[in-house]
Amino acid sequence: MTTPTRTHRWDALDFGPPAEDDAGGGDPVLLEYENDGRIAVITLNRPPDNAITTEMGARLTEVLESIAVETAVRVAIITGAGERAFSVGSDLRQRKSMTKEDWLRQRQDFDRTLYTVRQLRKPILAAVNGIAYGGGSELAQSTDFIIAADHATFGQPEAMIGLSAGGGSPVFLPRVLPPGKALQMLMTGDPISAQEAYRLGMVNEIHPQAELLDAAMRIAEKIASNSPTAVQAVKGAVRLGEGQPVEQAIAIMMEAHWRSAVHPDRIEGIGAFNEDRDPTFQDPDY
């Protein structure tokens, strides 16, 4: 019997199927609170690759929905456990034995997770600590912005396994990258480095691995120190105005502006400036 020749097709992706005994343990998504409960830190917790199972997706949705209604939380950070990966995307070992119905059910569950990220009124940023492929990259793209470790990589290898990407990258990548570069990534499956993602505008900041979470916390603390009502309003204005005709986008912006102008936080913020002190902003109503 001839032994099949090992392929080099997957070498550029720098990961492969997990070991058969790699069942994972503990809570697949961790939630911690910092800064007196104003910052929620979400960690994908299936190291080393943090592959997304049905159970992880469901837990992430649950965590996001709980954060959404906690008025004390002003900003969220999402990252991955370990130093190797933010997330390599869906767990293909779990998918190997799925029926068509199982696949479609999981796809609906994952759609709900990503929708919950996109619809979160509070700001949420991704601290990408390593590999971000497939649904992992799309999860990062679904947040408000990304910072990354200097060894991180971003890729959409779905076409390599016979899939058209379905978690948002065909929509988001052409908005944050030159459209031709986005198409090249989606068609070839080849990843890009954190440095290239930064150069092209997909990533806001790059930091050494050991400094990444501290950098994310500094950004989150700055956001949390501002009026959460104003921050949520301006996020909504940007999101709802995106792609609209200019005057329609301006109208959306002005609605948010006037609502903030009559809010007590405006009085507090201007008073703090004139009195040379730190403002004390209210938690939002929702």
Side-chain angles (χ1 to χ4, degrees):
M1 179 181 294
T2 302
T3 303
T5 303
R6 183 187 179 277
T7 180
H8 294 285
R9 178 177 177 82
W10 319 108
D11 289 356
L13 299 180
D14 194 31
F15 83 101
E20 287 299 324
D21 60 352
D22 180 22
D27 195 335
V29 179
L30 305 179
L31 175 61
E32 299 176 296
Y33 295 96
E34 303 288 346
N35 198 258
D36 296 324
R38 298 193 300 176
I39 299 172
V41 181
I42 306 164
T43 304
L44 307 177
N45 187 40
R46 294 189 71 227
D49 291 332
N50 297 317
I52 304 171
T53 60
T54 301
E55 295 74 23
M56 176 187 275
R59 174 60 179 153
L60 181 55
T61 303
E62 178 186 358
V63 165
L64 291 163
E65 289 178 341
S66 68
I67 289 171
V69 298
E70 292 183 32
T71 56
V73 175
R74 298 189 176 188
V75 59
I77 299 167
I78 185 165
T79 192
E83 298 182 358
R84 174 171 167 73
F86 175 76
S87 173
V88 298
S90 299
D91 188 325
L92 297 184
R93 189 185 67 190
Q94 185 183 61
R95 283 186 165 183
K96 181 179 178 181
S97 59
M98 282 185 173
T99 65
K100 180 174 71 173
E101 290 75 16
D102 291 337
W103 183 288
L104 292 174
R105 188 176 298 109
Q106 187 193 67
R107 180 69 259 175
Q108 288 178 328
D109 290 342
F110 287 177
D111 287 347
R112 178 182 171 189
T113 303
L114 294 170
Y115 178 82
T116 306
V117 175
R118 297 193 304 268
Q119 294 299 309
L120 191 67
R121 290 171 55 87
K122 304 171 192 290
I124 179 169
L125 65 116
V128 175
N129 56 302
I131 295 169
Y133 290 161
S137 178
E138 290 172 320
L139 176 59
Q141 293 166 43
S142 297
T143 67
D144 295 323
F145 57 88
I146 301 169
I147 68 170
D150 52 14
H151 71 291
T153 52
F154 299 84
Q156 300 299 150
E158 289 88 345
M160 297 179 69
I161 59 170
L163 282 173
S164 173
S169 55
V171 176
F172 296 128
L173 282 183
R175 299 186 184 197
V176 296
L177 299 176
K181 185 62 177 179
L183 280 168
Q184 183 178 344
M185 287 181 65
L186 290 163
M187 291 176 175
T188 64
D190 290 341
I192 62 173
S193 67
Q195 289 74 20
E196 186 170 9
Y198 173 74
R199 180 179 66 83
L200 294 173
M202 180 180 177
V203 168
N204 285 10
E205 299 179 8
I206 299 175
H207 297 276
Q209 166 72 39
E211 300 172 15
L212 179 66
L213 197 54
D214 286 342
M217 286 298 299
R218 285 195 299 272
I219 296 170
E221 287 167 357
K222 178 65 175 178
I223 294 171
S225 74
N226 294 332
S227 162
T229 300
V231 167
Q232 291 184 22
V234 79
K235 172 177 174 174
V238 171
R239 294 300 187 206
L240 294 174
E242 193 171 26
Q244 297 294 328
V246 169
E247 291 305 324
Q248 180 65 31
I250 292 291
I252 292 168
M253 176 196 73
M254 290 308 300
E255 177 69 17
H257 171 76
W258 287 122
R259 287 183 179 275
S260 67
V262 298
H263 192 276
D265 279 359
R266 189 263 304 171
I267 299 171
E268 170 62 14
I270 293 175
F273 174 82
N274 283 291
E275 296 165 14
D276 192 24
R277 60 174 174 81
D278 290 331
T280 301
F281 292 121
Q282 300 178 5
D283 289 335
D285 294 331
Y286 64 97

